[in-house]
Every structure is written in structure tokens, then in C-alpha cells.
Amino acid sequence: MQDDISAAHEGQQHPVSLYMKVWGLLFLLSAMSYLVDYMHVQGIVRWTLIILFMLLKAGLILSIFMHLAWERLSLIYAILVPPLVLLVLVRIMTIEANYAFWTRAIFLGGGG
């Protein structure tokens, strides 16, 4: 019983090797992101790769360095769901804006 209480006060201990591996992955993802520019990749492929690498790095930082991987699922949902809902709402507003723009262009003879 006493060991459980002292372990709870000490907190979680994670091996340094885990942090070094994550640091290496972050370095690799950053290098790949810079290679996209170095190789002069253009167009939608460029932006897709840059955003993909950015999201992977953000996920690693959130899960390991901010200890989100070891939190309860309800806390993870409380942190991640609101921004995702906002992204969905922004997408819906974009679709609605395009609809309004093209409706004006077709029926009123101009877009603005």
C-alpha cells in the first residue's frame, strides 16, 4: 500500500531512449520537409507533403513530449475534438461560400 502511494507521488518515469527516438523521428521528418523544398517539388504535391510532415511532427510532440499518449481517453477527446470540429465547420462554410459565389455569378451576372 505504501509503495503505491509513493509511486503515485513520483509520477511516471519514461526511458530517455524513448525521447531520443522521438527526437530522431522529428529530425528525420524535418529533413524530409526541407527536402521537399530542396527538390523543387511544386503544386498540390508540395503542400500535401509539407502539411503531412507538419501533422506527423505535431502528433509526435503532442503524444510524447506533452504526455498525451499516457492520458485518459476522455482528456484526449477534450483536447483534440474541438479543433477538429472547427475544421469541419470551416470546410462547411467554404462549401457554402462557393455556392453563394457561383449562384451570384450565374443568376446576377457577376461574382461580387
Side-chain angles (χ1 to χ4, degrees):
M1 178 77 175
Q2 186 65 23
D3 292 332
D4 294 337
I5 294 172
S6 63
H9 287 289
E10 289 178 16
Q12 294 178 342
Q13 295 293 324
H14 305 291
V16 175
S17 64
L18 173 68
Y19 294 107
M20 296 303 286
K21 289 175 187 173
V22 171
W23 181 83
L25 280 173
L26 289 171
F27 182 80
L28 180 68
L29 288 170
S30 294
M32 292 170 68
S33 181
Y34 288 122
L35 278 175
V36 169
D37 284 333
Y38 183 76
M39 301 283 224
H40 301 291
V41 178
Q42 296 297 321
I44 192 72
V45 175
R46 175 179 191 243
W47 292 110
T48 303
L49 288 172
I50 288 175
I51 290 174
L52 176 73
F53 295 142
M54 176 194 63
L55 289 174
L56 287 173
K57 290 189 295 187
L60 277 172
I61 291 168
L62 276 172
S63 64
I64 304 300
F65 292 120
M66 296 180 76
H67 304 283
L68 208 56
W70 298 282
E71 293 294 337
R72 291 185 182 155
L73 195 58
S74 61
L75 180 64
I76 293 171
Y77 285 156
I79 292 172
L80 295 180
V81 168
L84 293 175
V85 169
L86 283 175
L87 286 174
V88 169
L89 290 175
V90 166
R91 179 65 183 146
I92 291 170
M93 287 186 285
T94 303
I95 293 169
E96 178 67 22
N98 286 335
Y99 173 76
F101 176 80
W102 288 111
T103 302
R104 288 180 187 167
I106 292 169
F107 294 109
L108 299 177

